[in-house]
Amino acid sequence: MDRMSERRRDRRIPLGCKVGIKLAGAAAPIVGDCVELGVGGMTIHSTHVPRMDEVFEVAVLPPEHGGPFMPLHARVRVRRCHGLEGGLYEMGVEIVDVIR
């Protein structure tokens, strides 16, 4: 990808960690993968099909062999979504608030 087509202001780091998606009214979280993380957002792969501008909570788990780190809890807003193969969806989300 060339620099002219990249619209993000902040650098994204490839991650590959599990993420729990907590939807309002859902009994159990949806499990997905956080494939990129940046200062202002992240890219998530999951089976959840979000609405544009949908807001929900996520918990990004630390890497399995990453030591005693706490999950990143955040409230996020969906900014983009498109389908992938195998019934998965890739969503780009903006971090609205970090939850402690």
Side-chain angles (χ1 to χ4, degrees):
M1 179 180 300
D2 70 32
R3 294 183 65 182
M4 297 305 288
S5 65
E6 179 60 52
R7 296 183 307 182
R8 298 177 190 137
R9 294 178 301 192
D10 301 314
R11 183 172 176 221
R12 297 263 176 137
I13 306 299
L15 202 56
C17 292
K18 293 294 180 195
V19 62
I21 301 169
K22 182 180 174 188
L23 302 171
I30 297 169
V31 177
D33 293 299
C34 179
V35 295
E36 287 183 325
L37 178 64
V39 172
M42 61 185 82
T43 302
I44 298 171
H45 290 178
S46 81
T47 57
H48 175 60
V49 183
R51 296 180 323 274
M52 186 58 86
D53 292 324
E54 179 178 0
V55 176
F56 50 84
E57 291 181 17
V58 296
V60 180
L61 302 177
E64 290 182 24
H65 303 291
F69 297 105
M70 298 297 293
L72 165 65
H73 289 265
R75 187 169 292 104
V76 299
R77 176 177 287 120
V78 176
R79 291 301 185 195
R80 66 174 176 81
C81 180
H82 66 273
L84 302 172
E85 293 182 8
L88 292 176
Y89 294 86
E90 178 176 276
M91 57 184 122
V93 298
E94 171 189 16
I95 297 173
V96 176
D97 188 28
V98 175
I99 303 168
R100 302 200 183 247

